[in-house]
Amino acid sequence: MSLPVVPMPTETVKVGDADVTVRGLTVSEVRKVHAAGETNGDALAVSYGVGCTVDEAQAWLDSTPADVATAVMTAIMRLSGLLEGAASKS
């Protein structure tokens, strides 16, 4: 038996004047984010979730207001099923 491929959930988040598409993380990506811990975890999650490099994600996090960065990271975590009340839509 082969397991079905389920597309990653996506959502659009407003970042300033731009609409940014984010996606949920795979199990493998979640493990890597957890392993990265406080040092690199946020940048790694953003890089996976929006499709940029870790360096680009870190530079964005370093120059973006906390509420905006939190909105993006919250959407990524919610789509990954990692927030309380988050449910898979598979």
Side-chain angles (χ1 to χ4, degrees):
M1 171 181 122
S2 64
L3 295 171
V5 175
V6 178
M8 298 304 296
T10 61
E11 172 179 316
T12 301
V13 178
K14 194 73 157 172
V15 177
D17 293 332
D19 290 329
V20 176
T21 300
V22 300
R23 68 165 178 82
L25 307 180
T26 66
V27 172
S28 176
E29 290 168 340
V30 169
R31 288 184 180 140
K32 291 174 186 174
V33 168
H34 283 296
E38 290 183 32
T39 305
N40 230 12
D42 289 345
L44 194 56
V46 170
S47 74
Y48 289 141
V50 299
C52 65
T53 69
V54 175
D55 289 341
E56 290 168 332
Q58 188 62 61
W60 181 78
L61 288 168
D62 289 343
S63 64
T64 301
D67 62 330
V68 175
T70 298
V72 170
M73 291 187 294
T74 299
I76 293 167
M77 294 301 115
R78 184 178 57 256
L79 292 168
S80 303
L82 299 175
L83 295 181
E84 190 171 319
S88 174
K89 296 178 183 176
S90 51

